């Protein structure tokens, strides 16, 4: 356990220092492979989608298990390196923060066209129909949701299940982004990916919300507002996980999220999260700072749990 957590923390530091590679990212390679697999597995049926997800995630799990065993057969430093690499591959916190701050800068300059071009790097909404206010809300909601999906969840899965666990988590999350939306093509085929992603993120979303409550004062936010919005508003959101995190962010920052949400394939009327004002670019910057604090809190939590397990006395 101690070796594994050491690897997780090294992977976290690697993401802070290196971010994501510009080219040749393993997650992009997995996405390409999954798209090629879909040519053979696609049917307009839930069972076909389940087979697709099982094959793709299962292959990643086998690779991760083989890597972890090979590293363990050498020495602890190899195990640390393997876990660190897998954690770094699965994390997206630094890229998320950088893109969020770039979006805030564009919105400050009122460069709506450039902000529309950048938005697909954060979420799958249709940017052509969004004005400055809509782009701000979309970006802030994406930063909130991905604080759990791309930051806290990978750390927790790496800590709990090592190399295969964190790589399988990232595969599930990637498949959900690819086929888990309710478009005409994927409403049935993508069902398994969406439900599996809900299950994989359930604990992480709630850990993230707890950390949002704890870290809110670091950005001039309200812990009570975060807790109140989470418990009052999250249940009305269509996602069992995104609503938890977005509501906590809204309450912490004193803003109002939710409302009409335009995707390329449909318009969704989302519930209101929080009871504050409409967010502005400055709130997006605060959201990025809060997101970073939450990820640091998750890493510190893992370190503390590892230390507690090591120091626990043995009773005979």
């Amino acid at each position: 356990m101690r070796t594994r957590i050491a690897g997780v923390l090294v992977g976290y530091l690697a993401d802070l220092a290196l971010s994501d590679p510009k080219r040749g990212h393993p997650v992009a390679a997995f996405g390409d492979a999954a798209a090629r697999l879909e040519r053979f597995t696609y049917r307009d049926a839930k069972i076909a989608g389940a087979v697709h997800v099982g094959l793709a995630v299962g292959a990643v799990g086998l690779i991760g298990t083989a890597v972890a065993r090979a590293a363990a057969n050498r020495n602890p430093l190899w195990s640390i390196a393997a876990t660190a690499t897998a954690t770094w591959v699965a994390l997206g916190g630094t890229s998320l923060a950088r893109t969020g701050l770039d979006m805030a800068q564009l919105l400050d300059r009122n460069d709506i066209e450039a902000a529309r071009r950048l938005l697909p790097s954060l979420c799958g909404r249709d940017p052509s129909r969004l004005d400055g206010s809509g782009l701000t809300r979309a970006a802030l909601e994406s930063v909130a949701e991905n604080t759990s999906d791309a930051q806290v969840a990978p750390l927790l899965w790496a800590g709990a299940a090592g190399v295969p666990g964190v790589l399988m988590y990232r595969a599930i999350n990637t498949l959900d982004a690819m086929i888990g939306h309710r478009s005409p093509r994927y409403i049935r085929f993508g069902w398994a990916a969406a439900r599996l992603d809900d299950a994989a993120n359930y604990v992480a979303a709630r850990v993230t919300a707890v950390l949002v409550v704890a870290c809110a004062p670091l950005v001039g936010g309200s812990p009570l507002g975060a807790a109140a919005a989470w418990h009052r508003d999250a249940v009305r959101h269509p996602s069992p996980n995104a609503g938890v995190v977005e509501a906590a962010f809204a309450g912490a920052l004193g803003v109002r999220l939710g409302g009409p949400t335009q995707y390329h394939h449909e318009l969704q009327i989302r519930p209101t999260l929080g009871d504050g004002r409409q967010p502005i670019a400055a709130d997006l910057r605060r959201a990025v700072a809060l997101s970073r604090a939450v990820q640091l809190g998750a890493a510190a939590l893992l370190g503390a749990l590892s230390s507690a397990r090591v120091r626990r006395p043995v009773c005979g």
Side-chain angles (χ1 to χ4, degrees):
M1 180 69 175
R2 191 173 188 179
T3 298
R4 184 189 302 163
I5 297 301
V8 175
L9 297 180
V10 171
Y12 164 66
L13 294 175
D15 179 65
L16 291 180
L18 304 175
S19 186
D20 293 328
K22 300 277 185 195
R23 296 180 180 178
H25 198 296
V27 174
F30 169 78
D32 291 340
R36 289 195 294 272
L37 177 64
E38 187 182 328
R39 299 173 190 170
F40 302 97
T41 57
Y42 180 80
R43 303 289 188 279
D44 188 17
K46 290 182 178 180
I47 187 64
V51 169
H52 177 77
V53 171
L55 290 172
V57 176
V60 170
L62 289 174
I63 293 170
T65 300
V67 169
R69 286 178 177 173
N73 287 335
R74 303 196 68 163
N75 58 57
L77 288 179
W78 279 89
S79 291
I80 290 173
T83 304
T85 302
T87 303
W88 169 69
V89 165
L91 284 170
T94 300
S95 293
L96 176 67
R98 183 178 299 155
T99 306
L101 292 177
D102 288 345
M103 177 66 79
Q105 186 176 42
L106 292 173
L107 292 168
D108 269 340
R109 298 203 308 255
N110 200 32
D111 193 343
I112 301 302
E113 289 306 316
R116 286 172 176 164
R117 290 193 296 270
L118 183 60
L119 187 66
S121 298
L122 286 170
C123 61
R125 300 184 192 182
D126 183 359
S128 66
R129 305 191 185 190
L130 297 177
D131 57 9
S133 177
L135 289 164
T136 303
R137 177 171 73 85
L140 202 157
E141 289 174 354
S142 180
V143 167
E145 182 177 1
N146 281 293
T147 298
S148 176
D149 290 4
Q151 298 187 74
V152 175
L155 291 174
L156 296 183
W157 276 105
V163 173
V166 71
L167 292 182
M168 290 173 71
Y169 166 75
R170 178 47 66 201
I172 292 167
N173 193 246
T174 301
L175 288 172
D176 178 57
M178 294 176 68
I179 66 173
H181 46 83
R182 296 177 60 82
S183 67
R185 176 177 173 85
Y186 292 127
I187 192 169
R188 282 178 283 274
F189 184 76
W191 179 87
R195 299 290 77 77
L196 190 57
D197 184 71
D198 286 344
N201 278 295
Y202 188 87
V203 172
R206 283 141 186 88
V207 171
T208 302
V210 170
L211 290 171
V212 168
V213 172
C215 295
L218 299 177
V219 296
S222 168
L224 291 178
W230 168 16
H231 290 290
R232 183 188 65 230
D233 300 334
V235 70
R236 297 185 289 116
H237 196 280
S239 167
N241 300 323
V244 168
V245 183
E246 290 177 19
F249 263 75
L253 299 173
V255 299
R256 184 170 68 254
L257 302 176
T261 304
Q262 181 66 56
Y263 292 93
H264 289 283
H265 54 277
E266 68 174 345
L267 172 66
Q268 294 184 7
I269 305 301
R270 297 284 180 86
T272 298
L273 306 174
D275 53 8
R277 52 181 170 73
Q278 289 290 334
I280 59 176
D283 297 312
L284 180 54
R285 288 191 176 87
R286 293 171 66 215
V288 169
L290 180 56
S291 177
R292 284 173 160 168
V294 165
Q295 186 180 24
L296 176 59
L301 180 62
L302 283 176
L305 289 174
S306 175
S307 177
R309 288 175 70 95
V310 170
R311 295 177 183 176
R312 186 174 58 188
V314 177
C315 300

